Amino acid sequence: MLERIGNLWDFHQRGAWIAIATNCVVKQSGDNVMGAGLAKQAADRFPDFPRAVGDHVASGNTTSMAWPKGRLLAIPTKSHWRNPSSLSVIEQSILTARPLLEAYNISTLYCPRFGCGLGQLNWDEVRSVIAPLVDDRFVFVSPPPRG
């Protein structure tokens, strides 16, 4: 597990895959709820992405999902968008993301600090849960300090 400071979209612009923290709620339109944070940024950049994640969730999957069209990996961090993130959901999502790295030949996945920010979790606690589950293909990116 590696950690860096930077902007996930900068890595994406250079051709890398990035992970997007998602939830398991589908709107009546069929789109996954992506109204804030990194998920909203992804939805704004890729208008088809919320429907792809919505279809995945609506078919009964609450697991991670690769979207090759945009080089995005949807990683659920919470069951409902209104709730805080859950360590158990993050743990399960990491476990289901690992085979996707193999299947899509992803050598490096740039990730946000899952569950921190809008998810209301502490990074030290999240890191302690996921560190045994990930390898150096997972790069966790935190934004530069504001100043």
Side-chain angles (χ1 to χ4, degrees), residues 99-135:
L100 295 173
L101 272 61
E102 300 295 330
Y104 290 91
N105 199 28
I106 302 168
S107 60
T108 304
L109 178 66
Y110 292 91
C111 307
R113 291 179 168 192
F114 294 125
C116 303
L118 296 174
Q120 304 174 19
L121 296 177
N122 174 283
W123 177 238
D124 290 334
E125 189 176 10
V126 174
R127 183 195 299 120
S128 70
V129 169
I130 64 174
L133 307 176
V134 298
D135 54 31

Side-chain angles (χ1 to χ4, degrees), residues 65-100:
M65 181 204 93
W67 195 58
K69 179 178 177 181
R71 293 185 325 277
L72 302 177
L73 210 69
I75 308 273
T77 63
K78 54 175 77 174
S79 297
H80 197 284
W81 63 267
R82 288 186 181 141
N83 299 338
S85 292
S86 159
L87 289 172
S88 63
V89 171
I90 293 169
E91 181 178 22
Q92 185 60 36
S93 295
I94 292 289
L95 290 172
T96 62
R98 290 187 332 197
L100 295 173

